[in-house]
């Protein structure tokens, strides 16, 4: 009968649609599971390889007196410093800075009335972001960023591409 053919056709179409939806849902669930597993593994790797850094970064960011300052970098990009005078720490990271040749490195400096001291070398990733650097903060009042020979130097050897006042207490 024509009605039976229509019903059979609808059932066939519905069965195919349900089967297709089930297959798509299963594939999505597997993909999400893989993504979640990779994210958990990456977080575990970060904690295992950089656990102390992660803890230091979290402590500076969570400090009740944390103050954030952003500054443009002359060669391109933006530097961000988070200062906690209470914890005596400064956190610095940047984005958008140009890639340097292997013979050069970005160096961070802290300055106080007694002079200039190195605060760390920046590790720039392929995405242009630098890994956070956490350093001791003394009576430092300024921050500088220079381009130095690979391995860094004891004193700045070039004009700063970032020179900024640090927030007071």
């Amino acid at each position: 009968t024509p009605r039976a053919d229509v019903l059979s056709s609808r059932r066939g179409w519905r069965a195919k649609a349900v089967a297709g939806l089930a297959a798509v849902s299963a594939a999505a669930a597997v993909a999400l599971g893989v993504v979640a597993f990779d994210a958990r593994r990456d977080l575990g790797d970060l904690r295992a390889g950089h656990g102390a850094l992660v803890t230091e970064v979290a402590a500076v960011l969570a400090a009740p007196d944390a103050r954030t300052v952003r500054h443009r970098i002359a060669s391109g990009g933006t530097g961000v410093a988070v200062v906690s005078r209470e914890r005596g720490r400064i956190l610095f990271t940047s984005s958008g800075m140009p890639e340097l040749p292997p013979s050069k490195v970005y160096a961070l400096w802290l300055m106080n009335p007694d002079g200039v001291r190195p605060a760390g070398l920046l590790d720039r990733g392929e995405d242009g972001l630098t890994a956070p650097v956490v350093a001791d903060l003394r009576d430092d009042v300024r921050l500088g960023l220079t381009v130095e020979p690979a391995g860094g130097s004891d004193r700045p050897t070039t004009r700063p591409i970032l020179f900024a006042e640090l927030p007071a207490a």
Side-chain angles (χ1 to χ4, degrees):
T1 69
R3 179 163 168 79
D5 289 342
V6 169
L7 288 176
S8 176
S9 172
R10 283 187 190 163
R11 282 189 202 123
W13 175 83
R14 284 185 188 155
K16 287 179 185 175
V18 168
L21 227 88
V24 168
S25 296
V30 168
L32 286 174
V34 168
V35 168
F37 176 78
D38 283 348
R40 189 175 315 138
R41 186 189 66 219
D42 291 346
L43 182 58
D45 291 349
L46 179 62
R47 285 184 179 146
H50 304 286
L53 177 61
V54 171
T55 301
E56 287 184 78
V57 167
V60 174
L61 294 174
D65 70 326
R67 303 243 336 256
T68 303
V69 291
R70 287 174 180 75
H71 293 282
R72 291 225 171 267
I73 298 169
S75 61
T78 303
V80 178
V82 181
V83 174
S84 171
R85 298 277 179 187
E86 185 178 297
R87 293 198 188 275
R89 307 292 274 166
I90 183 170
L91 161 68
F92 183 86
T93 189
S94 65
S95 64
M97 289 194 307
E99 186 174 356
L100 294 174
S103 62
K104 301 288 182 185
V105 67
Y106 290 108
L108 191 62
W109 306 93
L110 292 171
M111 296 156 235
N112 60 40
D114 295 329
V116 178
R117 62 187 177 86
L121 303 178
L122 301 184
D123 182 17
R124 183 187 175 282
E126 290 180 19
D127 57 3
L129 299 174
T130 59
V133 171
V134 180
D136 288 332
L137 188 64
R138 300 177 190 155
D139 56 347
D140 302 301
V141 293
R142 287 181 199 84
L143 171 77
L145 182 65
T146 60
V147 175
E148 299 296 331
S153 54
D154 294 334
R155 292 275 196 234
T157 62
T158 62
R159 175 178 230 151
I161 55 175
L162 170 90
F163 187 75
E165 298 288 323
L166 293 175

